[in-house]
Amino acid sequence: MHGQMMDMPLLISSIIEHAARHHSDTEIVSRRVEGDIHRYTYSDCNKRSKQLANALSASGIKAGNRIATLAWNGYRHMELYYGVGGMGAVVHTINPRLHPDQIAWIVNHAEDSALFFDLSFAPIVQAIADKCPTIKHWVALCDADKTPAISAANDLKNGLTTGVVIDIKSYEAFIAPHSATYHWPEFDERNAVALCYTSGTTGNPKGVLYSHRSTLLHAYGSCLPDAMNVSAKDCILPVVPMFHVNAWGLPYAGPLVGAKLVFPGPMLDGKSVYELFEQEKVTFSAGVPTVWLGILQYVGANKLSFSTLKRTVVGGSACPPSTIATFRDQYGVEVVHAWGMTEMSPLGTLCKLQNKHLNLPVEQQQKLLEKQGHVIYGVDMKVVDDAGNDLPWDGKTYGNLLVRGPWVVKEYFKADGGDPLQYNAQGQGWFPTGDVATIDVDGYMQITDRSKDVIKSGGEWISTIDLENLAVAHPAVAQAAVIGVAHPKWDERPLLIVVKKPDAQVTREELLAFYDGKIAKWWLPDDVAFVEAIPLGATGKILKTKLREMFRDYRLPT
Ligand code: AMP
């Protein structure tokens, strides 16, 4: 028997409509590529998203078409989220830090019909324009008088161009002739709304196609008090880019609750972000650990404090325990460690204390808070052995982490890469995350490693994340990575790779001694290599594949 309730589809247009109606004068503040600050309201955002939807329809864009973006966090990008998604087309956010050849590959795989780009990315457009035949409209996110002139170039290295001038419109000229009156269409909530390719350190990137339903359910879940806990009292600054899994859903969660939004544009250095925190009275933020290291360094070096910031979500890679402690002890800011993936929209778990933990000593609370945390209702997880058998939730037994839920991928775009799921005896499909983790009796999950990164020494696992977390707590260490290096007796042994802080001095022996008493003796790295820089991927994560290549022939001391 069916329930007898209204069957309104869960569409993202309802979020911006809601914000425009109930939080009409709440602001969206953006630092623009031009360097100035732009402000307007949810009501303005809704109107301009509708203008964009009209402009897209007039340009022949239809439901289901993919519209690419190469853009920082900003109000026009937000309008693309709602204008494109709201009309039934698909906003395809592309990571501009990828190589132009990869970007061209992704555009062609997605068969994007139009590409909207920030002026910073004009060189990428120049590099890919003659390789992307499906793109009918190139639109620069700027005023008409700033429209760049770009000629397609197929041999940038030697400065040779095809001489073909690309027809570029400015965003403002593109939407200006169109009305702000538009009725968001109703359609099946399972239709696609957004597309994001995985960073793919091996093989071709894979497209994850989010639906309106998955996006809305994720947005609801992410706002829960034991998840992001955002409300209309908050001012949210997503440092995490809108091209990296929809800025962890904050452009949807913000208007859903009516929070003020602050977009930092291209300037993600410690000083610029800190200034926005203070000027706009930001209460909540989110980003990867490396960004927070930069912000903490700036704030520490200049003896500043955070006057309004209360909470920040840190995820994307393991949050060093020292970051949690520094934020709490020196600045009174709560760090919420989170874990997720492009394939999970992205949020899977966040780490918050429960009632029974409130009276624990700070050190024990800290141990819990270092974990990746608890699933949000809607995500189910388990750890299994290589044969797929469930492993106990004892906080000790490592296994492959599997997930399922309404905002977890079922199949990659165009079904490329085959069926990604693993099936149990009941035929239930689970998504193998590629992460190795423990789950404790209270359901707190802790990532040990990517399965590809874990070090197997004499058949036993060593967690590179634990070793890295300890190393970055040393005052002379700016960045640390641990990889397995071939060893004749143990198969693999850990090598610690370190970037020192500017002007800091530290020796191999001092760093190894720093591990004393903190880890089992056999986990101790066999050697330390000092480097100028550690290679980072397009989403700011350490590129272990590259490091393993660099140190492939490294001889450990015997
Ligand atoms: P991506 O799809 O690019 O966001 O990458 C997802 C992967 O990042 C996960 O499968 C994890 O390996 C890693 N990751 C994300 N958050 C965390 C975290 N808090 N701790 C450790 N690894 C993380």
Side-chain angles (χ1 to χ4, degrees), residues 197-200 244-245 248 289 314-319 337-344 346 349 371-372 433-435 447 449-450 465 539 541:
Y197 280 69
T198 57
S199 28
H244 185 200
V245 217
W248 299 349
V314 182
S317 23
C319 177
H337 193 188
W339 166 85
M341 308 182 75
T342 308
E343 286 89 339
M344 299 181 70
T349 64
K371 299 191 177 203
Q372 278 70 8
T433 63
D435 287 323
I447 303 272
D449 248 316
R450 287 297 289 164
I465 292 181
T539 54
K541 300 183 198 196

PDB file of all heavy atoms in Angstrom, residues 197-200 244-245 248 289 314-319 337-344 346 349 371-372 433-435 447 449-450 465 539 541, ligand 1:
ATOM      1  N   TYR A 197      34.698  14.180 -11.830  1.00  0.00           N
ATOM      2  CA  TYR A 197      35.589  13.051 -12.101  1.00  0.00           C
ATOM      3  C   TYR A 197      36.518  12.829 -10.910  1.00  0.00           C
ATOM      4  O   TYR A 197      36.948  13.778 -10.264  1.00  0.00           O
ATOM      5  CB  TYR A 197      36.382  13.299 -13.390  1.00  0.00           C
ATOM      6  CG  TYR A 197      35.564  12.992 -14.633  1.00  0.00           C
ATOM      7  CD1 TYR A 197      34.488  13.796 -14.992  1.00  0.00           C
ATOM      8  CD2 TYR A 197      35.828  11.879 -15.425  1.00  0.00           C
ATOM      9  CE1 TYR A 197      33.713  13.500 -16.108  1.00  0.00           C
ATOM     10  CE2 TYR A 197      35.063  11.580 -16.549  1.00  0.00           C
ATOM     11  CZ  TYR A 197      34.004  12.404 -16.884  1.00  0.00           C
ATOM     12  OH  TYR A 197      33.236  12.104 -17.977  1.00  0.00           O
ATOM     13  N   THR A 198      36.802  11.565 -10.634  1.00  0.00           N
ATOM     14  CA  THR A 198      37.721  11.247  -9.534  1.00  0.00           C
ATOM     15  C   THR A 198      39.115  11.725  -9.910  1.00  0.00           C
ATOM     16  O   THR A 198      39.454  11.798 -11.090  1.00  0.00           O
ATOM     17  CB  THR A 198      37.803   9.728  -9.287  1.00  0.00           C
ATOM     18  OG1 THR A 198      38.209   9.126 -10.518  1.00  0.00           O
ATOM     19  CG2 THR A 198      36.485   9.160  -8.862  1.00  0.00           C
ATOM     20  N   SER A 199      39.908  12.003  -8.881  1.00  0.00           N
ATOM     21  CA  SER A 199      41.244  12.529  -9.180  1.00  0.00           C
ATOM     22  C   SER A 199      42.115  11.474  -9.867  1.00  0.00           C
ATOM     23  O   SER A 199      43.079  11.812 -10.524  1.00  0.00           O
ATOM     24  CB  SER A 199      41.897  13.076  -7.919  1.00  0.00           C
ATOM     25  OG  SER A 199      41.417  12.424  -6.779  1.00  0.00           O
ATOM     26  N   GLY A 200      41.759  10.213  -9.731  1.00  0.00           N
ATOM     27  CA  GLY A 200      42.371   9.111 -10.485  1.00  0.00           C
ATOM     28  C   GLY A 200      43.881   9.145 -10.587  1.00  0.00           C
ATOM     29  O   GLY A 200      44.415   9.596 -11.595  1.00  0.00           O
ATOM     30  N   HIS A 244      35.944  20.469  -6.264  1.00  0.00           N
ATOM     31  CA  HIS A 244      36.310  19.216  -5.602  1.00  0.00           C
ATOM     32  C   HIS A 244      35.097  18.668  -4.850  1.00  0.00           C
ATOM     33  O   HIS A 244      34.830  19.056  -3.724  1.00  0.00           O
ATOM     34  CB  HIS A 244      37.502  19.442  -4.651  1.00  0.00           C
ATOM     35  CG  HIS A 244      37.992  18.162  -4.036  1.00  0.00           C
ATOM     36  ND1 HIS A 244      38.738  18.110  -2.898  1.00  0.00           N
ATOM     37  CD2 HIS A 244      37.819  16.884  -4.414  1.00  0.00           C
ATOM     38  CE1 HIS A 244      39.007  16.857  -2.591  1.00  0.00           C
ATOM     39  NE2 HIS A 244      38.458  16.096  -3.500  1.00  0.00           N
ATOM     40  N   VAL A 245      34.389  17.778  -5.507  1.00  0.00           N
ATOM     41  CA  VAL A 245      33.157  17.185  -4.964  1.00  0.00           C
ATOM     42  C   VAL A 245      32.232  18.254  -4.378  1.00  0.00           C
ATOM     43  O   VAL A 245      31.823  18.188  -3.212  1.00  0.00           O
ATOM     44  CB  VAL A 245      33.395  16.110  -3.891  1.00  0.00           C
ATOM     45  CG1 VAL A 245      32.342  15.009  -4.059  1.00  0.00           C
ATOM     46  CG2 VAL A 245      34.760  15.534  -3.896  1.00  0.00           C
ATOM     47  N   TRP A 248      32.250  19.821  -0.849  1.00  0.00           N
ATOM     48  CA  TRP A 248      31.698  18.939   0.186  1.00  0.00           C
ATOM     49  C   TRP A 248      30.216  19.231   0.447  1.00  0.00           C
ATOM     50  O   TRP A 248      29.715  19.045   1.563  1.00  0.00           O
ATOM     51  CB  TRP A 248      32.517  19.036   1.489  1.00  0.00           C
ATOM     52  CG  TRP A 248      33.950  18.623   1.310  1.00  0.00           C
ATOM     53  CD1 TRP A 248      34.493  18.004   0.221  1.00  0.00           C
ATOM     54  CD2 TRP A 248      35.034  18.796   2.222  1.00  0.00           C
ATOM     55  NE1 TRP A 248      35.842  17.789   0.407  1.00  0.00           N
ATOM     56  CE2 TRP A 248      36.195  18.257   1.613  1.00  0.00           C
ATOM     57  CE3 TRP A 248      35.120  19.347   3.497  1.00  0.00           C
ATOM     58  CZ2 TRP A 248      37.436  18.269   2.242  1.00  0.00           C
ATOM     59  CZ3 TRP A 248      36.365  19.355   4.119  1.00  0.00           C
ATOM     60  CH2 TRP A 248      37.515  18.827   3.494  1.00  0.00           C
ATOM     61  N   PRO A 289      43.706  19.299   5.076  1.00  0.00           N
ATOM     62  CA  PRO A 289      44.685  19.639   6.120  1.00  0.00           C
ATOM     63  C   PRO A 289      45.760  20.634   5.682  1.00  0.00           C
ATOM     64  O   PRO A 289      46.127  21.521   6.451  1.00  0.00           O
ATOM     65  CB  PRO A 289      45.316  18.287   6.467  1.00  0.00           C
ATOM     66  CG  PRO A 289      44.283  17.275   6.104  1.00  0.00           C
ATOM     67  CD  PRO A 289      43.541  17.835   4.937  1.00  0.00           C
ATOM     68  N   VAL A 314      37.764  19.244   8.760  1.00  0.00           N
ATOM     69  CA  VAL A 314      39.033  18.957   8.094  1.00  0.00           C
ATOM     70  C   VAL A 314      38.965  17.534   7.555  1.00  0.00           C
ATOM     71  O   VAL A 314      38.665  16.598   8.301  1.00  0.00           O
ATOM     72  CB  VAL A 314      40.216  19.102   9.079  1.00  0.00           C
ATOM     73  CG1 VAL A 314      41.538  18.847   8.363  1.00  0.00           C
ATOM     74  CG2 VAL A 314      40.227  20.492   9.704  1.00  0.00           C
ATOM     75  N   GLY A 315      39.218  17.375   6.278  1.00  0.00           N
ATOM     76  CA  GLY A 315      39.158  16.036   5.687  1.00  0.00           C
ATOM     77  C   GLY A 315      39.800  16.029   4.322  1.00  0.00           C
ATOM     78  O   GLY A 315      40.453  16.996   3.930  1.00  0.00           O
ATOM     79  N   GLY A 316      39.591  14.947   3.594  1.00  0.00           N
ATOM     80  CA  GLY A 316      40.211  14.813   2.272  1.00  0.00           C
ATOM     81  C   GLY A 316      41.504  14.037   2.369  1.00  0.00           C
ATOM     82  O   GLY A 316      41.851  13.278   1.485  1.00  0.00           O
ATOM     83  N   SER A 317      42.251  14.236   3.426  1.00  0.00           N
ATOM     84  CA  SER A 317      43.319  13.329   3.859  1.00  0.00           C
ATOM     85  C   SER A 317      43.353  13.419   5.378  1.00  0.00           C
ATOM     86  O   SER A 317      42.662  14.272   5.959  1.00  0.00           O
ATOM     87  CB  SER A 317      44.678  13.619   3.235  1.00  0.00           C
ATOM     88  OG  SER A 317      44.804  14.906   2.797  1.00  0.00           O
ATOM     89  N   ALA A 318      44.150  12.534   5.991  1.00  0.00           N
ATOM     90  CA  ALA A 318      44.093  12.434   7.453  1.00  0.00           C
ATOM     91  C   ALA A 318      44.474  13.766   8.093  1.00  0.00           C
ATOM     92  O   ALA A 318      45.464  14.394   7.716  1.00  0.00           O
ATOM     93  CB  ALA A 318      45.025  11.335   7.919  1.00  0.00           C
ATOM     94  N   CYS A 319      43.688  14.192   9.068  1.00  0.00           N
ATOM     95  CA  CYS A 319      43.985  15.439   9.771  1.00  0.00           C
ATOM     96  C   CYS A 319      45.034  15.151  10.843  1.00  0.00           C
ATOM     97  O   CYS A 319      44.802  14.321  11.725  1.00  0.00           O
ATOM     98  CB  CYS A 319      42.702  15.970  10.409  1.00  0.00           C
ATOM     99  SG  CYS A 319      42.994  17.450  11.375  1.00  0.00           S
ATOM    100  N   HIS A 337      36.976  16.169  12.297  1.00  0.00           N
ATOM    101  CA  HIS A 337      37.659  15.362  11.304  1.00  0.00           C
ATOM    102  C   HIS A 337      36.610  14.632  10.473  1.00  0.00           C
ATOM    103  O   HIS A 337      35.663  14.070  11.016  1.00  0.00           O
ATOM    104  CB  HIS A 337      38.577  14.359  12.033  1.00  0.00           C
ATOM    105  CG  HIS A 337      39.559  13.688  11.133  1.00  0.00           C
ATOM    106  ND1 HIS A 337      40.346  12.656  11.550  1.00  0.00           N
ATOM    107  CD2 HIS A 337      39.898  13.919   9.852  1.00  0.00           C
ATOM    108  CE1 HIS A 337      41.127  12.266  10.543  1.00  0.00           C
ATOM    109  NE2 HIS A 337      40.868  13.022   9.514  1.00  0.00           N
ATOM    110  N   ALA A 338      36.761  14.664   9.151  1.00  0.00           N
ATOM    111  CA  ALA A 338      35.753  14.041   8.292  1.00  0.00           C
ATOM    112  C   ALA A 338      36.417  13.206   7.215  1.00  0.00           C
ATOM    113  O   ALA A 338      37.546  13.478   6.809  1.00  0.00           O
ATOM    114  CB  ALA A 338      34.903  15.119   7.633  1.00  0.00           C
ATOM    115  N   TRP A 339      35.699  12.233   6.765  1.00  0.00           N
ATOM    116  CA  TRP A 339      36.199  11.359   5.706  1.00  0.00           C
ATOM    117  C   TRP A 339      35.118  11.200   4.639  1.00  0.00           C
ATOM    118  O   TRP A 339      33.929  11.102   4.956  1.00  0.00           O
ATOM    119  CB  TRP A 339      36.545   9.981   6.283  1.00  0.00           C
ATOM    120  CG  TRP A 339      36.748   8.911   5.259  1.00  0.00           C
ATOM    121  CD1 TRP A 339      37.889   8.627   4.571  1.00  0.00           C
ATOM    122  CD2 TRP A 339      35.764   7.981   4.772  1.00  0.00           C
ATOM    123  NE1 TRP A 339      37.682   7.593   3.701  1.00  0.00           N
ATOM    124  CE2 TRP A 339      36.392   7.179   3.796  1.00  0.00           C
ATOM    125  CE3 TRP A 339      34.418   7.773   5.056  1.00  0.00           C
ATOM    126  CZ2 TRP A 339      35.710   6.164   3.116  1.00  0.00           C
ATOM    127  CZ3 TRP A 339      33.737   6.758   4.373  1.00  0.00           C
ATOM    128  CH2 TRP A 339      34.399   5.963   3.417  1.00  0.00           C
ATOM    129  N   GLY A 340      35.555  11.188   3.396  1.00  0.00           N
ATOM    130  CA  GLY A 340      34.608  10.960   2.318  1.00  0.00           C
ATOM    131  C   GLY A 340      35.343  10.742   1.018  1.00  0.00           C
ATOM    132  O   GLY A 340      36.564  10.661   0.992  1.00  0.00           O
ATOM    133  N   MET A 341      34.581  10.651  -0.044  1.00  0.00           N
ATOM    134  CA  MET A 341      35.157  10.387  -1.362  1.00  0.00           C
ATOM    135  C   MET A 341      34.282  11.025  -2.429  1.00  0.00           C
ATOM    136  O   MET A 341      33.080  11.226  -2.212  1.00  0.00           O
ATOM    137  CB  MET A 341      35.140   8.884  -1.673  1.00  0.00           C
ATOM    138  CG  MET A 341      35.730   7.997  -0.656  1.00  0.00           C
ATOM    139  SD  MET A 341      35.668   6.295  -1.240  1.00  0.00           S
ATOM    140  CE  MET A 341      36.966   6.294  -2.455  1.00  0.00           C
ATOM    141  N   THR A 342      34.870  11.284  -3.580  1.00  0.00           N
ATOM    142  CA  THR A 342      34.094  11.763  -4.730  1.00  0.00           C
ATOM    143  C   THR A 342      32.895  10.822  -4.952  1.00  0.00           C
ATOM    144  O   THR A 342      31.781  11.268  -5.227  1.00  0.00           O
ATOM    145  CB  THR A 342      34.988  11.777  -5.994  1.00  0.00           C
ATOM    146  OG1 THR A 342      36.175  12.505  -5.683  1.00  0.00           O
ATOM    147  CG2 THR A 342      34.285  12.415  -7.161  1.00  0.00           C
ATOM    148  N   GLU A 343      33.134   9.539  -4.791  1.00  0.00           N
ATOM    149  CA  GLU A 343      32.077   8.537  -5.017  1.00  0.00           C
ATOM    150  C   GLU A 343      30.982   8.585  -3.955  1.00  0.00           C
ATOM    151  O   GLU A 343      29.992   7.883  -4.045  1.00  0.00           O
ATOM    152  CB  GLU A 343      32.694   7.129  -5.024  1.00  0.00           C
ATOM    153  CG  GLU A 343      33.483   6.781  -6.282  1.00  0.00           C
ATOM    154  CD  GLU A 343      34.954   7.166  -6.185  1.00  0.00           C
ATOM    155  OE1 GLU A 343      35.293   8.039  -5.359  1.00  0.00           O
ATOM    156  OE2 GLU A 343      35.759   6.586  -6.939  1.00  0.00           O
ATOM    157  N   MET A 344      31.183   9.411  -2.895  1.00  0.00           N
ATOM    158  CA  MET A 344      30.213   9.455  -1.788  1.00  0.00           C
ATOM    159  C   MET A 344      29.623  10.849  -1.593  1.00  0.00           C
ATOM    160  O   MET A 344      29.111  11.152  -0.511  1.00  0.00           O
ATOM    161  CB  MET A 344      30.891   9.019  -0.489  1.00  0.00           C
ATOM    162  CG  MET A 344      31.428   7.606  -0.548  1.00  0.00           C
ATOM    163  SD  MET A 344      32.171   7.160   1.024  1.00  0.00           S
ATOM    164  CE  MET A 344      30.712   7.058   2.036  1.00  0.00           C
ATOM    165  N   PRO A 346      30.539  14.209  -0.904  1.00  0.00           N
ATOM    166  CA  PRO A 346      31.495  13.177  -0.569  1.00  0.00           C
ATOM    167  C   PRO A 346      31.364  12.638   0.850  1.00  0.00           C
ATOM    168  O   PRO A 346      32.098  11.746   1.207  1.00  0.00           O
ATOM    169  CB  PRO A 346      32.813  13.950  -0.645  1.00  0.00           C
ATOM    170  CG  PRO A 346      32.461  15.282  -0.062  1.00  0.00           C
ATOM    171  CD  PRO A 346      31.021  15.526  -0.464  1.00  0.00           C
ATOM    172  N   THR A 349      31.821   9.990   6.909  1.00  0.00           N
ATOM    173  CA  THR A 349      31.866  10.047   8.374  1.00  0.00           C
ATOM    174  C   THR A 349      32.387  11.403   8.843  1.00  0.00           C
ATOM    175  O   THR A 349      33.125  12.078   8.129  1.00  0.00           O
ATOM    176  CB  THR A 349      32.821   8.973   8.949  1.00  0.00           C
ATOM    177  OG1 THR A 349      34.160   9.264   8.513  1.00  0.00           O
ATOM    178  CG2 THR A 349      32.438   7.572   8.519  1.00  0.00           C
ATOM    179  N   LYS A 371      40.126  10.080  15.056  1.00  0.00           N
ATOM    180  CA  LYS A 371      39.549   9.099  14.131  1.00  0.00           C
ATOM    181  C   LYS A 371      38.731   9.836  13.066  1.00  0.00           C
ATOM    182  O   LYS A 371      38.401  11.006  13.225  1.00  0.00           O
ATOM    183  CB  LYS A 371      38.652   8.120  14.887  1.00  0.00           C
ATOM    184  CG  LYS A 371      39.420   7.325  15.936  1.00  0.00           C
ATOM    185  CD  LYS A 371      38.599   6.185  16.496  1.00  0.00           C
ATOM    186  CE  LYS A 371      39.448   5.382  17.487  1.00  0.00           C
ATOM    187  NZ  LYS A 371      38.951   4.014  17.664  1.00  0.00           N
ATOM    188  N   GLN A 372      38.385   9.103  11.990  1.00  0.00           N
ATOM    189  CA  GLN A 372      37.592   9.731  10.925  1.00  0.00           C
ATOM    190  C   GLN A 372      36.123   9.794  11.309  1.00  0.00           C
ATOM    191  O   GLN A 372      35.368  10.557  10.718  1.00  0.00           O
ATOM    192  CB  GLN A 372      37.799   8.994   9.605  1.00  0.00           C
ATOM    193  CG  GLN A 372      39.065   9.393   8.838  1.00  0.00           C
ATOM    194  CD  GLN A 372      40.355   8.939   9.490  1.00  0.00           C
ATOM    195  OE1 GLN A 372      40.359   8.190  10.467  1.00  0.00           O
ATOM    196  NE2 GLN A 372      41.471   9.379   8.942  1.00  0.00           N
ATOM    197  N   THR A 433      35.848   1.113  -0.915  1.00  0.00           N
ATOM    198  CA  THR A 433      36.420   2.463  -0.918  1.00  0.00           C
ATOM    199  C   THR A 433      37.888   2.482  -1.291  1.00  0.00           C
ATOM    200  O   THR A 433      38.414   3.536  -1.631  1.00  0.00           O
ATOM    201  CB  THR A 433      36.296   3.094   0.482  1.00  0.00           C
ATOM    202  OG1 THR A 433      37.063   2.298   1.398  1.00  0.00           O
ATOM    203  CG2 THR A 433      34.851   3.142   0.948  1.00  0.00           C
ATOM    204  N   GLY A 434      38.559   1.315  -1.175  1.00  0.00           N
ATOM    205  CA  GLY A 434      40.008   1.315  -1.398  1.00  0.00           C
ATOM    206  C   GLY A 434      40.755   1.787  -0.164  1.00  0.00           C
ATOM    207  O   GLY A 434      41.969   1.922  -0.181  1.00  0.00           O
ATOM    208  N   ASP A 435      40.025   2.058   0.911  1.00  0.00           N
ATOM    209  CA  ASP A 435      40.668   2.451   2.165  1.00  0.00           C
ATOM    210  C   ASP A 435      40.713   1.249   3.106  1.00  0.00           C
ATOM    211  O   ASP A 435      39.833   0.385   3.070  1.00  0.00           O
ATOM    212  CB  ASP A 435      39.887   3.581   2.844  1.00  0.00           C
ATOM    213  CG  ASP A 435      40.068   4.895   2.112  1.00  0.00           C
ATOM    214  OD1 ASP A 435      41.165   5.159   1.615  1.00  0.00           O
ATOM    215  OD2 ASP A 435      39.090   5.660   2.022  1.00  0.00           O
ATOM    216  N   ILE A 447      40.789   5.441   9.536  1.00  0.00           N
ATOM    217  CA  ILE A 447      41.500   5.007   8.332  1.00  0.00           C
ATOM    218  C   ILE A 447      42.956   4.742   8.696  1.00  0.00           C
ATOM    219  O   ILE A 447      43.603   5.570   9.332  1.00  0.00           O
ATOM    220  CB  ILE A 447      41.486   6.116   7.255  1.00  0.00           C
ATOM    221  CG1 ILE A 447      40.063   6.523   6.895  1.00  0.00           C
ATOM    222  CG2 ILE A 447      42.296   5.714   6.037  1.00  0.00           C
ATOM    223  CD1 ILE A 447      39.410   5.746   5.826  1.00  0.00           C
ATOM    224  N   ASP A 449      45.054   3.568   6.079  1.00  0.00           N
ATOM    225  CA  ASP A 449      45.756   3.854   4.836  1.00  0.00           C
ATOM    226  C   ASP A 449      44.831   3.693   3.647  1.00  0.00           C
ATOM    227  O   ASP A 449      43.783   3.087   3.761  1.00  0.00           O
ATOM    228  CB  ASP A 449      46.899   2.827   4.647  1.00  0.00           C
ATOM    229  CG  ASP A 449      48.245   3.477   4.775  1.00  0.00           C
ATOM    230  OD1 ASP A 449      48.396   4.552   4.202  1.00  0.00           O
ATOM    231  OD2 ASP A 449      49.114   2.914   5.453  1.00  0.00           O
ATOM    232  N   ARG A 450      45.306   4.189   2.479  1.00  0.00           N
ATOM    233  CA  ARG A 450      44.754   3.707   1.224  1.00  0.00           C
ATOM    234  C   ARG A 450      45.291   2.286   1.089  1.00  0.00           C
ATOM    235  O   ARG A 450      46.437   2.013   1.475  1.00  0.00           O
ATOM    236  CB  ARG A 450      45.302   4.506   0.027  1.00  0.00           C
ATOM    237  CG  ARG A 450      44.801   5.884  -0.166  1.00  0.00           C
ATOM    238  CD  ARG A 450      43.354   5.978  -0.446  1.00  0.00           C
ATOM    239  NE  ARG A 450      42.956   5.507  -1.766  1.00  0.00           N
ATOM    240  CZ  ARG A 450      41.689   5.225  -2.094  1.00  0.00           C
ATOM    241  NH1 ARG A 450      40.733   5.334  -1.180  1.00  0.00           N
ATOM    242  NH2 ARG A 450      41.368   4.827  -3.304  1.00  0.00           N
ATOM    243  N   ILE A 465      49.768   6.623   7.700  1.00  0.00           N
ATOM    244  CA  ILE A 465      49.102   7.814   8.258  1.00  0.00           C
ATOM    245  C   ILE A 465      49.584   8.062   9.686  1.00  0.00           C
ATOM    246  O   ILE A 465      49.901   9.196  10.065  1.00  0.00           O
ATOM    247  CB  ILE A 465      47.563   7.661   8.227  1.00  0.00           C
ATOM    248  CG1 ILE A 465      47.071   7.676   6.779  1.00  0.00           C
ATOM    249  CG2 ILE A 465      46.880   8.767   9.030  1.00  0.00           C
ATOM    250  CD1 ILE A 465      45.580   7.546   6.610  1.00  0.00           C
ATOM    251  N   THR A 539      44.073  17.695  -5.938  1.00  0.00           N
ATOM    252  CA  THR A 539      43.195  18.081  -4.839  1.00  0.00           C
ATOM    253  C   THR A 539      43.985  18.316  -3.557  1.00  0.00           C
ATOM    254  O   THR A 539      43.438  18.285  -2.460  1.00  0.00           O
ATOM    255  CB  THR A 539      42.096  17.019  -4.592  1.00  0.00           C
ATOM    256  OG1 THR A 539      42.734  15.762  -4.409  1.00  0.00           O
ATOM    257  CG2 THR A 539      41.132  16.927  -5.743  1.00  0.00           C
ATOM    258  N   LYS A 541      46.373  16.490  -2.248  1.00  0.00           N
ATOM    259  CA  LYS A 541      46.819  15.318  -1.485  1.00  0.00           C
ATOM    260  C   LYS A 541      48.207  14.891  -1.944  1.00  0.00           C
ATOM    261  O   LYS A 541      48.566  15.077  -3.103  1.00  0.00           O
ATOM    262  CB  LYS A 541      45.866  14.147  -1.705  1.00  0.00           C
ATOM    263  CG  LYS A 541      44.479  14.479  -1.263  1.00  0.00           C
ATOM    264  CD  LYS A 541      43.569  13.294  -1.432  1.00  0.00           C
ATOM    265  CE  LYS A 541      42.152  13.809  -1.403  1.00  0.00           C
ATOM    266  NZ  LYS A 541      41.171  12.808  -1.190  1.00  0.00           N
TER     267      LYS A 541
HETATM  268  P1  AMP B   1      38.663  11.957  -3.269  1.00  0.00           P
HETATM  269  O1  AMP B   1      37.654  11.151  -3.956  1.00  0.00           O
HETATM  270  O2  AMP B   1      39.660  12.582  -4.200  1.00  0.00           O
HETATM  271  O3  AMP B   1      38.049  12.953  -2.361  1.00  0.00           O
HETATM  272  O4  AMP B   1      39.538  10.973  -2.369  1.00  0.00           O
HETATM  273  C1  AMP B   1      38.934  10.124  -1.432  1.00  0.00           C
HETATM  274  C2  AMP B   1      39.994   9.459  -0.615  1.00  0.00           C
HETATM  275  O5  AMP B   1      40.677  10.428   0.196  1.00  0.00           O
HETATM  276  C3  AMP B   1      39.468   8.473   0.411  1.00  0.00           C
HETATM  277  O6  AMP B   1      39.171   7.231  -0.162  1.00  0.00           O
HETATM  278  C4  AMP B   1      40.605   8.415   1.413  1.00  0.00           C
HETATM  279  O7  AMP B   1      41.643   7.574   0.977  1.00  0.00           O
HETATM  280  C5  AMP B   1      41.110   9.828   1.408  1.00  0.00           C
HETATM  281  N1  AMP B   1      40.542  10.554   2.551  1.00  0.00           N
HETATM  282  C6  AMP B   1      39.506  11.411   2.574  1.00  0.00           C
HETATM  283  N2  AMP B   1      39.315  11.903   3.808  1.00  0.00           N
HETATM  284  C7  AMP B   1      40.245  11.342   4.613  1.00  0.00           C
HETATM  285  C8  AMP B   1      40.572  11.425   5.998  1.00  0.00           C
HETATM  286  N3  AMP B   1      39.911  12.218   6.833  1.00  0.00           N
HETATM  287  N4  AMP B   1      41.584  10.661   6.459  1.00  0.00           N
HETATM  288  C9  AMP B   1      42.291   9.860   5.635  1.00  0.00           C
HETATM  289  N5  AMP B   1      42.035   9.747   4.324  1.00  0.00           N
HETATM  290  C10 AMP B   1      41.035  10.473   3.807  1.00  0.00           C
END
